[in-house]
Amino acid sequence: MRVIFMGSPEFAVPPLEHLLASQYQVVAVYTQPDKPAGRGRALVSPPVKRTALAWQLPVVQPVSLKEAGVVEQLAGFHPDAIVVSAFGQILPEKVLALPRFGCLNIHPSLLPRFRGASPVASAILAGDEFTGVSLMVMDEGLDTGPILARAQIPIAASDTTGSLTAKLSWLGARLLLEVLPHWFRGELTPQPQDEAKATYCTEITKKEGEIDWHKPAIDIWRRVRAFNPWPGCYTIWRGKRFKIIEAVPLAEERTFKVGQVVTLPEGSKAAFGVYTGDGVLGVLRVQLEGKQVLSAAEFLRGQREFLGAVLPLPRTGG
């Protein structure tokens, strides 16, 4: 079977590597164009491109699949199937109709829950106990295609979007290789999604990372995990962005000002806490703008005046 793979970030690398180690022939890899990054704005290749080049595969990086000649070039590879994993572009109808076994997408949620751009972060923000991956046959809608298979895993209390995405990537890679033989032999019937249970999630923005201390501690804790590694969950200390890297929600009956930095009982694994709209956010690791990540205890040793301070609320307006 001739397969074209479409993907871009690190999430897509394990599925590609699993395909390359299987009996299927990956005839080309499509990925996003190189983009400038870092202070020098040097061009950086997507992780999938680096993997493909290491395997000496043809790499195509169209700005858009709707560009003139792109579909014709794709058709020239004569794919039996197209496997998509976080490619970053919408597939037009002409591409969807090209391979005889369709375009299969690895989506990191238990569809129809969390269709859209940020399913992993959304599962953490919602406090879900489980999430997973869905392998679907793509159609023209946004993650609306019928499902071939799903696999789920628990969300650990320590999971961030980064760690959970990595787990789901490997889960999706294994699910793909389990399902493909049955799909190619005509042994599977795709099951339509239940539209009544569909939910959608939008792309995360930088602004969402700023902490509103009026929210309950458990909500802020989920945001700390959901926005790690990007955009980070932060407040402001002495005019600088102050990231909360790791935290834990704590029950607290005493009354402080919302946003006030408080000491915690001896034996607490958090070095300090911040009073919230409901409970205290115990803080374990932090990063002050321009500095390295430190344990909360290390940070306090150099910032004694931090205890008792009242951290600001998000600014409103333009």
Side-chain angles (χ1 to χ4, degrees):
M1 288 293 177
R2 297 172 61 84
V3 176
I4 285 177
F5 185 85
M6 295 183 175
S8 297
E10 195 64 41
F11 175 81
V13 171
L16 173 57
E17 290 179 332
H18 276 59
L19 273 176
L20 291 169
S22 71
Q23 72 269 34
Y24 306 111
Q25 183 184 2
V26 179
V27 293
V29 170
Y30 279 64
T31 189
Q32 292 283 68
D34 297 357
K35 294 181 180 179
R39 292 184 179 179
R41 308 306 290 165
L43 287 178
V44 176
S45 300
V48 161
K49 178 182 178 179
R50 298 196 292 270
T51 301
L53 291 178
W55 285 75
Q56 299 181 325
L57 295 171
V59 175
V60 185
Q61 296 177 271
V63 174
S64 169
L65 292 174
K66 296 180 180 179
E67 284 183 329
V70 170
V71 175
E72 290 76 9
Q73 181 187 23
L74 201 155
F77 289 110
H78 305 291
D80 294 301
I82 295 176
V83 173
V84 182
S85 178
F87 176 46
Q89 293 189 37
I90 300 295
L91 272 60
E93 184 180 3
K94 287 183 178 179
V95 174
L96 294 173
L98 191 62
R100 60 181 174 134
F101 288 101
C103 300
L104 308 182
N105 182 44
I106 303 168
H107 184 77
S109 82
L110 297 173
L111 290 171
R113 186 161 174 78
F114 298 133
R115 295 171 175 173
S118 56
V120 181
S122 296
I124 294 174
L125 289 171
D128 287 2
E129 293 183 2
F130 290 87
T131 188
V133 291
S134 302
L135 185 62
M136 69 175 176
V137 182
M138 298 177 73
D139 60 16
E140 292 183 77
L142 178 63
D143 301 327
T144 55
I147 303 297
L148 288 179
R150 297 182 185 88
Q152 73 173 29
I153 56 172
I155 300 176
S158 59
D159 268 327
T160 63
T161 290
S163 68
L164 191 53
T165 298
K167 293 178 184 179
L168 292 172
S169 174
W170 286 99
L171 184 66
R174 292 194 296 269
L175 183 66
L176 176 68
L177 288 199
E178 288 173 10
V179 170
L180 278 183
H182 301 287
W183 175 238
F184 289 151
R185 290 196 296 262
E187 298 169 354
L188 294 177
T189 301
Q191 299 299 309
Q193 295 185 39
D194 186 347
E195 291 297 322
K197 295 181 179 179
T199 63
Y200 288 85
C201 52
T202 58
E203 197 167 346
I204 302 295
T205 66
K206 279 188 177 182
K207 181 62 179 174
E208 289 179 82
E210 189 169 5
I211 298 171
D212 181 354
W213 297 109
H214 278 120
K215 293 183 180 292
I218 194 165
D219 286 356
I220 300 173
W221 168 63
R222 288 171 181 161
R223 293 169 80 85
V224 168
R225 294 161 53 220
F227 299 155
N228 182 344
W230 193 91
C233 218
Y234 66 92
T235 185
I236 304 297
W237 168 243
R238 291 187 167 176
K240 292 187 176 182
R241 186 170 292 200
F242 182 60
K243 282 187 178 181
I244 309 297
I245 304 296
E246 187 179 359
V248 61
L250 304 170
E252 178 58 67
E253 296 180 358
R254 293 178 295 166
T255 301
F256 299 91
K257 291 182 180 179
V258 169
Q260 186 170 4
V261 181
V262 298
T263 57
L264 295 174
E266 193 171 335
S268 173
K269 71 174 186 176
F272 63 85
V274 183
Y275 193 69
T276 73
D278 183 8
V280 166
L281 185 75
V283 179
L284 282 73
R285 290 193 300 144
V286 299
Q287 183 179 26
L288 189 61
E289 186 177 338
K291 304 291 184 180
Q292 293 182 331
V293 175
L294 296 174
S295 70
E298 287 176 310
F299 175 78
L300 277 185
R301 283 198 286 270
Q303 302 276 350
R304 289 291 181 185
E305 64 279 16
F306 188 68
L307 284 175
V310 178
L311 299 173
L313 297 172
R315 290 164 291 184
T316 58

